[in-house]
Amino acid sequence: MPAKVKGPTDHVVVVGAGLAGLSAALRLAGAGRKVTVVERESVPGGRNGLLKKSGYSFDTGPSVLTMPDLISDALACVGEDIKDWLDLVPLKPLYRAFYHDGSQLDVHADTNQMQAEIAKSISSQEAEGYARYVDFVTKLYKYEMKDFIDRNIDSPLNLLTPNLARLIALGGFRKLAPKVNQFLKDPRTQKVYSFQAMYAGVSPQQALAIYAVIAYMDSVNGVFFPKGGMHAVPRALAGAAEKHGVTFKYSSTVTSIERKNGRATAVITDKGERIPCDVVVLNPDLPVAWRDLLGKQPRSVKRLKYSPSCATLLIGSSKTYDHLAHHNIHFGKSWAGVFDELIKKKTLMSDPSILVTVPSKDDPALAPAGKSSYYVLFPTPNLSADIDWEKIGPKYRDEMIKSLEDRGYTGFGDAIEVEQLTTPLDWKNQGMEQGAPFASAHTFFQTGPFRPKNLAKGFENIVFAGSGTQPGVGVPMVLISGRLAAERIVGPVK
């Protein structure tokens, strides 16, 4: 049995209403605990934030939603049905990929439809390779989810299960790019089924093949869009939690944790409020929580290496482009070279690959009538790079606009009505170590049992949740991390 917190667990304070904190709060409430959530912003969501400007509503964080069953599972802990809280639209296509040679490829979750698309756009042999790749990632997901992702791991020895042998036999611990290339021979399909490694903070060349599981989560299981934007997800989770007795204290920042004999006894807020508790769940970025709230970072946390960061532009525009899907990926000609620039050389991409999401396409209410909203993401190095974002930021914004115009977004700059640029420096100011919204990178020794544990060493009753702890980065992973945090307090949650 995984270790649990010691002592009474009647009242739990959750610091931060991010997705992980909300997931934990729902499970704890369902298990009969008194739960108080303290959130510094005026709304729930954490990184999954909301910006309202001149009639536009923008999501400030994640834009891709996969594995909605994990949301259903959290809501079910208090007897709620996801259909009563969220209107989820399955996206078709999941992505539209654009390539430097002018070709494009629509990515579908339906494997027969995707095979037909690949056969038509590339070749029948490539379509057969894709079918074999789907079989590979589906097995990977099956063996990985239960033993490696969806459980608390106290020691590498916990991994010694029959599924570990199956993963090794499958080639899960080889490098991702060569593994993908065994099945897919065309650079276009290779890119579209391996770029997801970026979400884990590593290049496809460096990532382990087990990270192809992210390709399963979106490209096979499907991508969804919640009406009202991604921020509808934390609103739903918080609404259900509140309905079932969870107390929320918004616009309150926890400034310190009162401790006695290795136990947290209360949290103190910037308003001078003291909230006594039996257990604390910390949802801020793990290294920041250690430093700012627990007073010191363990050496293992100080040594962590971080994922690349990103610059995002939220754009309200008078212009609509008919050739776009909801999610659009524009791949540059350079591939391995781009990751070398980002991760090894720590420089800005000379030939960027870009994600452009158009939320107003599937929910026109997110923009004024006849207008469009765009979420533009350019990967960048994190703050360990020698880049002065205060100086570079405005110039880079201009480069981002030019890059979009070069890729077919004619007149994009002139049509902008509202904009917000977020750089790695802004992410840092929002509480993300090294300005890395994708947290510590999923290198081998920062993955699974080697990732920072969710029990705070040296404290009997402090638990972490979020992307900095197990199982890792991404909306599905942080929802799971909330459940794992709750299980450290109340045991397995049915």
Side-chain angles (χ1 to χ4, degrees), residues 220-267:
V220 179
N221 200 51
V223 176
F224 298 81
F225 177 69
K227 282 287 172 77
M230 285 291 285
H231 196 260
V233 175
R235 282 201 299 268
L237 295 175
E242 206 155 8
K243 179 181 168 185
H244 291 274
V246 174
T247 301
F248 282 83
K249 292 178 181 284
Y250 290 113
S251 305
S252 277
T253 301
V254 171
T255 51
S256 63
I257 295 173
E258 197 178 278
R259 306 191 290 273
K260 191 177 177 186
N261 302 330
R263 281 188 76 77
T265 51
V267 302

Side-chain angles (χ1 to χ4, degrees), residues 367-450:
K371 313 279 184 177
S372 294
S373 63
Y374 298 93
Y375 175 106
V376 180
L377 184 149
F378 278 55
T380 69
N382 60 40
L383 290 180
S384 64
D386 185 21
I387 298 171
D388 181 348
W389 281 102
E390 282 190 350
K391 266 195 200 149
I392 295 285
K395 289 184 208 156
Y396 195 61
R397 174 260 178 214
D398 295 344
E399 279 182 39
M400 291 168 84
I401 303 288
K402 183 181 182 306
S403 191
L404 287 168
E405 291 181 340
D406 291 347
R407 314 256 179 135
Y409 291 75
T410 316
F412 191 81
D414 291 340
I416 294 173
E417 295 187 342
V418 169
E419 67 178 279
Q420 170 134 328
L421 172 69
T422 305
T423 71
L425 186 59
D426 299 312
W427 297 124
K428 179 181 185 251
N429 293 337
Q430 288 176 37
M432 292 165 224
E433 189 76 359
Q434 288 204 10
F438 303 110
S440 51
H442 283 261
T443 53
F444 183 80
F445 287 109
Q446 293 185 177
T447 291
F450 308 114

Side-chain angles (χ1 to χ4, degrees), residues 259-322:
R259 306 191 290 273
K260 191 177 177 186
N261 302 330
R263 281 188 76 77
T265 51
V267 302
I268 312 297
T269 75
D270 56 348
K271 295 176 173 162
E273 189 177 7
R274 179 182 181 274
I275 307 167
C277 55
D278 297 309
V279 184
V280 176
V281 174
L282 291 175
N283 192 194
D285 197 18
L286 178 138
V288 175
W290 268 111
R291 189 177 55 236
D292 293 358
L293 295 174
L294 302 179
K296 61 177 189 343
Q297 287 182 335
R299 200 166 341 136
S300 59
V301 172
K302 279 184 187 155
R303 285 200 305 250
L304 289 170
K305 296 207 164 27
Y306 288 84
S307 305
S309 184
C310 60
T312 60
L313 264 178
L314 306 176
I315 300 284
S317 170
S318 59
K319 207 159 171 53
T320 300
Y321 299 90
D322 295 337

Side-chain angles (χ1 to χ4, degrees), residues 15-251:
V15 179
L19 292 175
L22 295 169
S23 169
L26 281 163
R27 295 165 199 291
L28 292 164
R33 299 306 187 270
K34 180 185 174 191
V35 182
T36 304
V37 179
V38 187
E39 168 55 47
R40 69 180 178 188
E41 302 298 333
S42 58
V43 292
R47 290 176 206 194
N48 191 171
L50 176 70
L51 172 71
K52 289 192 162 190
K53 219 170 179 180
S54 310
Y56 292 91
S57 291
F58 297 104
D59 288 310
T60 59
S63 62
V64 177
L65 179 63
T66 64
M67 308 288 288
D69 288 358
L70 295 169
I71 301 168
S72 297
D73 181 48
L75 291 168
C77 290
V78 291
E80 294 291 336
D81 188 322
I82 191 170
K83 290 187 200 68
D84 298 329
W85 291 91
L86 284 169
D87 180 4
L88 294 180
V89 181
L91 293 181
K92 294 173 185 177
L94 314 177
Y95 301 99
R96 181 162 288 156
F98 297 87
Y99 300 95
H100 73 280
D101 62 0
S103 62
Q104 63 183 65
L105 188 69
D106 279 1
V107 181
H108 303 285
D110 181 290
T111 49
N112 293 329
Q113 193 181 2
M114 192 65 217
Q115 266 188 279
E117 171 84 11
I118 293 173
K120 181 189 79 179
S121 304
I122 300 172
S123 71
S124 54
Q125 291 93 324
E126 193 70 358
E128 284 164 23
Y130 159 78
R132 292 198 306 278
Y133 182 66
V134 167
D135 184 51
F136 165 69
V137 294
T138 305
K139 282 182 180 152
L140 205 60
Y141 177 77
K142 189 173 118 190
Y143 301 148
E144 215 174 314
M145 191 68 178
K146 191 164 169 284
D147 283 3
F148 297 82
I149 295 174
D150 206 7
R151 61 181 286 212
N152 277 309
I153 300 169
D154 289 327
S155 146
L157 296 176
N158 293 154
L159 299 182
L160 298 177
T161 70
N163 281 343
L164 177 65
R166 291 183 185 114
L167 276 176
I168 292 167
L170 210 53
F173 294 96
R174 294 185 203 149
K175 294 284 190 251
L176 175 64
K179 193 72 193 166
V180 170
N181 299 1
Q182 277 180 19
F183 302 98
L184 303 168
K185 305 302 179 193
D186 190 283
R188 289 168 291 182
T189 45
Q190 289 171 352
K191 287 177 183 178
V192 91
Y193 287 109
S194 65
F195 82 90
Q196 294 89 348
M198 270 295 296
Y199 297 148
V202 276
S203 73
Q205 292 77 22
Q206 288 304 309
L208 297 174
I210 50 174
Y211 284 105
V213 78
I214 308 175
Y216 172 87
M217 286 176 176
D218 69 9
S219 301
V220 179
N221 200 51
V223 176
F224 298 81
F225 177 69
K227 282 287 172 77
M230 285 291 285
H231 196 260
V233 175
R235 282 201 299 268
L237 295 175
E242 206 155 8
K243 179 181 168 185
H244 291 274
V246 174
T247 301
F248 282 83
K249 292 178 181 284
Y250 290 113
S251 305

